Amino acid sequence: MLVAGRPGEYGIAALDLRSGSSVAVNGDTAFPMASTVKVAIAATYLTEVDQGHRSLDDIVAGHPAAKLMELMIVRSDNVAADRLLASLGGPAALQQWLRSREITGIRVDRTIAQLLHDHGHLADSRDVATPNAMVALLYKLNNGDVLTGQSRSLLFELMSRCSTGTRRIRALLPAGTRVEDKTGTLDGVTNDVGVVTMPDGHRVALAIFARGGRDRQSAIAQLARAIYDRFADSTRIALDAFMRLR
């Protein structure tokens, strides 16, 4: 069992974006999203760009939207996130975007500033997502028609430069593995969600949420490596079976 014996509570989901093979532990349990919600903020803004309602050159609170998005995703800048969120119409607009894309299991209630001001995150039912819902969002961003190819490429390129998660999903993966992720951190909460490219080029979306306990970052790193090995091995087994049939 991936989480057996670990202190705290973990929610894990992973989905092969090519074959549909999946694995989950507590996949339908809601966990605080923390800054992983910024993936949805970026996607909502980019949808508006794709529809011609906005531009990445728009000035939002004195800054180009493109710069705010970069700061929000790469550095997890909370002020940049709230500026973009406000320009979209706040949490309600983000919730409406999720609903219109038939993404259930993600709840958005507050701005980042409001979230950080409040306490009791471990037991909060607001601003939460299930691991399965977060992976569904990543699937739609990668495989679906939610974003144009240009906007999709921009978002995942920014996620590939995420500078806040070097000790989480990325930490124990083989050198050179491409990871496009977004972290989230609150008191007692440590998260990382994103897409990992496997050795043969196919991609796996994963979400790992952790609350309570100790050493959550190292646990996320170990869990991510176990997921990587599981999907890499599945690919090898399938290839071996194919070669035997030739």
Side-chain angles (χ1 to χ4, degrees):
M1 188 76 172
L2 286 174
V3 296
R6 297 182 185 275
E9 184 179 12
Y10 288 82
I12 305 160
L15 173 68
D16 187 315
L17 297 178
R18 183 173 64 190
S19 71
S21 175
S22 64
V23 63
V25 176
N26 295 325
D28 292 321
T29 300
F31 288 81
M33 281 187 289
S35 286
T36 64
V37 71
K38 293 168 184 173
V39 173
I41 296 173
T44 303
Y45 193 93
L46 288 170
T47 299
E48 294 278 293
V49 171
D50 291 341
Q51 294 173 349
H53 303 314
R54 300 177 189 273
S55 167
L56 289 169
D57 295 325
D58 288 350
I59 301 302
V60 177
H63 301 274
K67 185 61 178 178
L68 292 177
M69 190 168 298
E70 179 181 19
L71 290 170
M72 174 179 71
I73 298 296
V74 176
R75 298 188 188 177
S76 202
D77 187 293
N78 295 326
V79 174
D82 274 347
R83 284 171 172 167
L84 283 178
L85 182 58
S87 76
L88 292 167
L94 188 54
Q95 190 70 66
Q96 175 56 37
W97 181 88
L98 291 163
R99 188 178 302 114
S100 69
R101 269 65 190 179
E102 298 182 340
I103 300 169
T104 60
I106 297 178
R107 173 175 169 172
V108 184
D109 299 275
R110 293 166 288 186
T111 66
I112 302 296
Q114 290 168 337
L115 176 63
L116 294 175
H117 179 268
D118 292 339
H119 301 285
H121 301 300
L122 293 182
D124 207 333
S125 62
R126 297 170 295 172
D127 298 289
V128 295
T130 69
N132 284 335
M134 186 59 71
V135 163
L137 171 61
L138 292 167
Y139 171 85
K140 291 191 177 232
L141 294 177
N142 186 85
N143 290 39
D145 58 359
V146 171
L147 299 176
T148 63
Q150 182 176 0
S151 288
R152 182 184 305 115
S153 295
L154 172 62
L155 176 55
F156 283 111
E157 190 277 328
L158 291 174
M159 292 171 66
S160 77
R161 295 194 281 125
C162 176
S163 63
T164 55
T166 57
R167 297 174 59 195
R168 301 184 194 182
I169 287 175
R170 300 168 182 263
L172 298 180
L173 299 187
T177 300
R178 182 171 177 83
V179 178
E180 298 144 332
D181 67 324
K182 180 70 201 76
T183 59
T185 308
L186 290 167
D187 289 341
V189 173
T190 305
N191 303 329
D192 203 1
V193 307
V195 177
V196 175
T197 300
M198 307 302 286
D200 70 344
H202 82 281
R203 290 155 65 75
V204 174
L206 66 159
I208 305 177
F209 295 127
R211 60 183 164 199
R214 306 179 306 276
D215 301 323
R216 291 183 298 274
Q217 290 199 110
S218 63
I220 288 173
Q222 293 170 40
L223 291 167
R225 181 57 195 248
I227 290 167
Y228 176 94
D229 290 343
R230 187 267 192 202
F231 281 95
D233 192 55
S234 295
T235 301
R236 179 188 59 77
I237 291 170
L239 179 60
D240 289 346
F242 174 76
M243 294 301 291
R244 286 195 296 272
L245 291 173
R246 294 185 63 183

